[in-house]
């Protein structure tokens, strides 16, 4: 019988998590600041752009997709593609 294959897990430094957390807080503050601006139809565009950036950071670092296999990355990318299509 063959041995089960074990995938190496990437160890992420707590500093990386702290930097990503700080970035998420900054983008949240930017979202609040942008909500007070009167930019007409661009308010929605700016809010969605910031939300996409924050979601990408969470997916890449806190869900460890950045360090995952190509299949996992493809699955996540197809989810984004379907979201855009819908």
């Amino acid at each position: 019988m063959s041995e089960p294959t074990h995938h190496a897990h990437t160890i992420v430094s707590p500093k990386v998590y702290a930097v990503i957390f700080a970035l998420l807080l900054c983008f949240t503050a930017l979202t609040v600041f942008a909500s007070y601006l009167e930019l007409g139809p661009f308010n929605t565009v700016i809010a969605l752009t910031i939300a996409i950036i924050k979601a990408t950071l969470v997916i890449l670092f806190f869900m460890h997709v950045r360090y995952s296999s190509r299949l996992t990355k493809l699955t996540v990318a197809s989810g984004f593609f379907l979201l855009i299509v819908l």
Side-chain angles (χ1 to χ4, degrees):
M1 292 179 54
S2 64
E3 294 282 327
T5 304
H6 297 295
H7 296 284
H9 294 282
T10 303
I11 297 175
V12 182
S13 165
K15 287 183 182 181
V16 172
Y17 288 125
V19 169
I20 298 303
F21 179 68
L23 281 171
L24 289 170
L25 288 177
C26 290
F27 279 116
T28 300
L30 184 62
T31 302
V32 172
F33 174 75
S35 71
Y36 289 104
L37 298 176
E38 283 298 326
L39 301 173
F42 291 108
N43 278 9
T44 304
V45 173
I46 289 173
L48 285 174
T49 301
I50 295 170
I52 289 170
I53 291 169
K54 289 180 358 181
T56 302
L57 287 173
V58 169
I59 290 168
L60 287 177
F61 292 96
F62 290 115
M63 295 175 68
H64 301 277
V65 171
R66 181 170 188 231
Y67 311 107
S68 296
S69 68
R70 287 184 182 172
L71 181 60
T72 302
K73 291 177 184 177
L74 179 64
T75 304
V76 171
S78 65
F80 269 113
F81 177 74
L82 285 173
L83 178 66
I84 291 169
V85 168
L86 294 176

